[in-house]
Amino acid sequence: MNEHEEVVKNIGDKMGFTPQILETLKDIDPYFVKKYNRCNEKILTDGAIPAKYKILMALAVVASKQCESCTISQMKSALNNGATKEEIMETMEVISITSGAPAVAACRDALKLLKD
């Protein structure tokens, strides 16, 4: 397995799924995928802050950007990394307070994952 395939595999293992964008980028420009290794090393790995909390922060950021597909990816990753419904709903409160209703609305499909 070459380096870019390993990056995609490691991220997929840590998130619990492989984001489609990584598969697409791997096919178009394998070397671009290596840049995603920073995500693998910094967000999806425990450090001074556990990965679960960094992923919840990422959920808040992508919600503030109103990226619906990004909120789904971050929600899947948060659940795969042990985030509880209560932690996610507190994150939703932070999103609501800091970014308003449009950011909460960007999470509508992501929140459906809590019902499963």
Side-chain angles (χ1 to χ4, degrees), residues 65-104:
K65 300 290 186 181
Q66 299 174 30
C67 178
E68 292 183 34
S69 62
C70 300
T71 63
I72 293 168
S73 291
Q74 293 302 329
M75 182 72 77
K76 287 179 181 178
S77 183
L79 292 168
N80 188 64
N81 281 275
T84 65
K85 178 181 176 183
E86 293 77 14
E87 290 169 329
I88 290 167
M89 292 313 298
E90 282 192 30
T91 302
M92 292 304 302
E93 289 176 16
V94 171
I95 291 167
S96 176
I97 292 166
T98 60
S99 300
V104 173

Side-chain angles (χ1 to χ4, degrees), residues 27-39:
D27 294 341
I28 296 170
D29 186 354
Y31 297 100
F32 186 83
V33 172
K34 291 195 290 186
K35 296 175 184 177
Y36 273 82
N37 200 38
R38 184 158 170 82
C39 171

Side-chain angles (χ1 to χ4, degrees), residues 1-13 18 23 26 30 33-34 37 40:
M1 180 180 308
N2 57 40
E3 188 178 353
H4 61 275
E5 289 173 330
E6 190 172 322
V7 168
V8 172
K9 181 185 179 323
N10 286 339
I11 290 173
D13 290 348
T18 302
E23 291 292 343
K26 182 181 75 169
V33 172
K34 291 195 290 186
N37 200 38
N40 180 39

